[in-house]
């Protein structure tokens, strides 16, 4: 069960990637067609995954705003990220404009440091830095909402295939998986390279991203629940 719209949308969007992988499987005897579907699936999967990450950060910020928290309830990292986003909209090419929207953003930025100010909405940039991808950029994105290290907080569960213990499992970070995939994707986009990868391997990437999305979904929902309790017990 997904709590955020972003996760539900990502779940649906992955069917588009799966369609390309099925076309690739059916074209294995036709190398040119097979590789075309492979490259298209990689680029599409990367785009869908990054869209999901941006969307769930926005969903979280919206839901947090509905709790009407005071500044004292907000993580410092979120306050800094919000202040940065607001101040970036206060100035034009010639500096501070003094226009009504700029003044409002300036006041909202100052409110981020008034411990008792009650917020009804939160302004946070939910976009990847232009031209940047990979685990480092994704970690930075989630840090803006107060999740310091999304990869240590939301680890994948790997069943231990060679263990004699029933139900044994280990937890691993998805960070190197993201970086491996991003490297393949970037080589296609920037160098028009043909990756040495099969449709089965892309399917494995897709499944890892899907699993991660649901773990993140649960983590952010749990964080909201804890913040709601904190707000109620210490208004």
């Amino acid at each position: 069960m997904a709590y955020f719209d972003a996760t539900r949308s990502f779940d649906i969007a992955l069917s588009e990637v799966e369609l390309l992988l099925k076309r690739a499987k059916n074209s294995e005897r036709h190398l040119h067609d097979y590789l075309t579907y492979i490259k298209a699936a990689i680029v599409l999967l990367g785009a869908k995954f990054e869209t999901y990450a941006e969307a769930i950060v926005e969903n979280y910020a919206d839901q947090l705003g509905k709790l009407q928290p005071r500044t004292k309830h907000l993580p410092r990292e979120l306050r800094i990220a919000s202040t940065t986003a607001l101040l970036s909209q206060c100035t034009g090419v010639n500096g501070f404009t003094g226009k009504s929207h700029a003044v409002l953003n300036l006041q909202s930025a100052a409110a981020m440091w008034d411990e008792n100010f009650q917020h009804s909405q939160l302004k946070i940039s939910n976009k990847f830095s232009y031209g940047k991808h990979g685990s480092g950029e994704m970690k930075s994105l989630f840090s803006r909402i107060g999740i310091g290290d999304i990869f240590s907080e939301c680890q994948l569960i790997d069943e231990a295939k060679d263990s004699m213990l029933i139900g044994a499992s280990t937890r691993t970070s998805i960070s190197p998986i993201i970086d491996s995939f991003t490297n393949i994707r970037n080589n296609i986009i920037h160098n028009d390279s043909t990756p040495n990868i099969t449709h089965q391997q892309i399917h494995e990437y897709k499944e890892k991203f899907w699993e991660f999305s649901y773990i993140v979904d649960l983590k952010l929902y749990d964080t909201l629940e804890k913040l709601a309790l904190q707000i109620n017990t210490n208004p």
Side-chain angles (χ1 to χ4, degrees), residues 193-205:
S193 66
T194 299
N196 182 22
I197 189 172
T198 66
H199 64 278
Q200 294 98 329
Q201 289 172 306
I202 300 174
H203 178 79
E204 290 175 8
Y205 277 118

Side-chain angles (χ1 to χ4, degrees), residues 16-113:
E16 299 175 27
V17 177
E18 192 61 37
L19 176 61
L20 289 173
L21 294 179
K22 288 180 180 178
R23 294 286 178 87
K25 180 181 179 180
N26 294 334
S27 304
E28 285 187 276
R29 294 183 179 180
H30 306 281
L31 185 58
H32 180 270
D33 292 352
Y34 181 76
L35 294 176
T36 299
Y37 286 126
I38 288 292
K39 292 198 287 186
I42 291 170
V43 173
L44 184 61
L45 177 56
K48 297 295 186 182
F49 187 49
E50 290 187 354
T51 297
Y52 154 75
E54 293 179 341
I56 199 167
V57 165
E58 181 178 34
N59 287 174
Y60 177 85
D62 289 344
Q63 292 301 315
L64 179 54
K66 291 178 181 179
L67 296 177
Q68 296 190 314
R70 296 189 187 277
T71 299
K72 65 183 180 181
H73 301 124
L74 301 175
R76 179 178 175 82
E77 296 86 351
L78 187 151
R79 293 161 66 178
I80 292 173
S82 182
T83 301
T84 301
L86 289 162
L87 291 179
S88 70
Q89 297 183 10
C90 289
T91 59
V93 291
N94 296 318
F96 183 68
T97 64
K99 294 181 179 179
S100 58
H101 74 276
V103 173
L104 181 61
N105 284 330
L106 186 61
Q107 292 171 336
S108 297
M112 273 292 155
W113 303 97

Side-chain angles (χ1 to χ4, degrees), residues 5-235:
D5 289 342
T7 311
R8 289 188 286 270
S9 296
F10 184 53
D11 203 355
I12 295 170
L14 287 179
S15 64
E16 299 175 27
V17 177
E18 192 61 37
L19 176 61
L20 289 173
L21 294 179
K22 288 180 180 178
R23 294 286 178 87
K25 180 181 179 180
N26 294 334
S27 304
E28 285 187 276
R29 294 183 179 180
H30 306 281
L31 185 58
H32 180 270
D33 292 352
Y34 181 76
L35 294 176
T36 299
Y37 286 126
I38 288 292
K39 292 198 287 186
I42 291 170
V43 173
L44 184 61
L45 177 56
K48 297 295 186 182
F49 187 49
E50 290 187 354
T51 297
Y52 154 75
E54 293 179 341
I56 199 167
V57 165
E58 181 178 34
N59 287 174
Y60 177 85
D62 289 344
Q63 292 301 315
L64 179 54
K66 291 178 181 179
L67 296 177
Q68 296 190 314
R70 296 189 187 277
T71 299
K72 65 183 180 181
H73 301 124
L74 301 175
R76 179 178 175 82
E77 296 86 351
L78 187 151
R79 293 161 66 178
I80 292 173
S82 182
T83 301
T84 301
L86 289 162
L87 291 179
S88 70
Q89 297 183 10
C90 289
T91 59
V93 291
N94 296 318
F96 183 68
T97 64
K99 294 181 179 179
S100 58
H101 74 276
V103 173
L104 181 61
N105 284 330
L106 186 61
Q107 292 171 336
S108 297
M112 273 292 155
W113 303 97
D114 177 350
E115 292 292 309
N116 289 312
F117 186 88
Q118 190 171 31
H119 304 268
S120 60
Q121 60 181 3
L122 298 167
K123 175 67 177 180
I124 298 170
S125 173
N126 68 317
K127 300 299 181 183
F128 283 83
S129 300
Y130 182 75
K132 292 186 177 180
H133 309 278
S135 65
E137 190 63 21
M138 186 165 291
K139 180 180 177 181
S140 174
L141 179 66
F142 281 95
S143 72
R144 297 173 204 165
I145 54 173
I147 309 297
D149 187 348
I150 192 66
F151 302 122
S152 63
E153 295 283 349
C154 300
Q155 295 189 326
L156 303 179
I157 300 174
D158 287 339
E159 298 297 332
K161 297 179 181 179
D162 57 348
S163 173
M164 296 180 66
L165 298 176
I166 298 175
S169 63
T170 58
R171 294 183 179 274
T172 58
S173 170
I174 197 175
S175 176
I177 297 174
I178 291 175
D179 288 335
S180 169
F181 178 85
T182 300
N183 184 56
I184 297 170
R185 171 188 176 275
N186 287 347
N187 280 332
I188 294 172
I189 293 174
H190 300 297
N191 301 320
D192 193 25
S193 66
T194 299
N196 182 22
I197 189 172
T198 66
H199 64 278
Q200 294 98 329
Q201 289 172 306
I202 300 174
H203 178 79
E204 290 175 8
Y205 277 118
K206 180 182 75 71
E207 289 298 294
K208 294 294 186 183
F209 292 168
W210 176 85
E211 180 186 351
F212 178 70
S213 74
Y214 272 82
I215 295 172
V216 170
D217 187 281
L218 182 60
K219 167 65 181 178
L220 295 187
Y221 174 78
D222 183 60
T223 303
L224 279 177
E225 289 287 287
K226 290 177 180 177
L227 283 170
L229 179 61
Q230 181 184 351
I231 292 167
N232 290 331
T233 56
N234 181 26

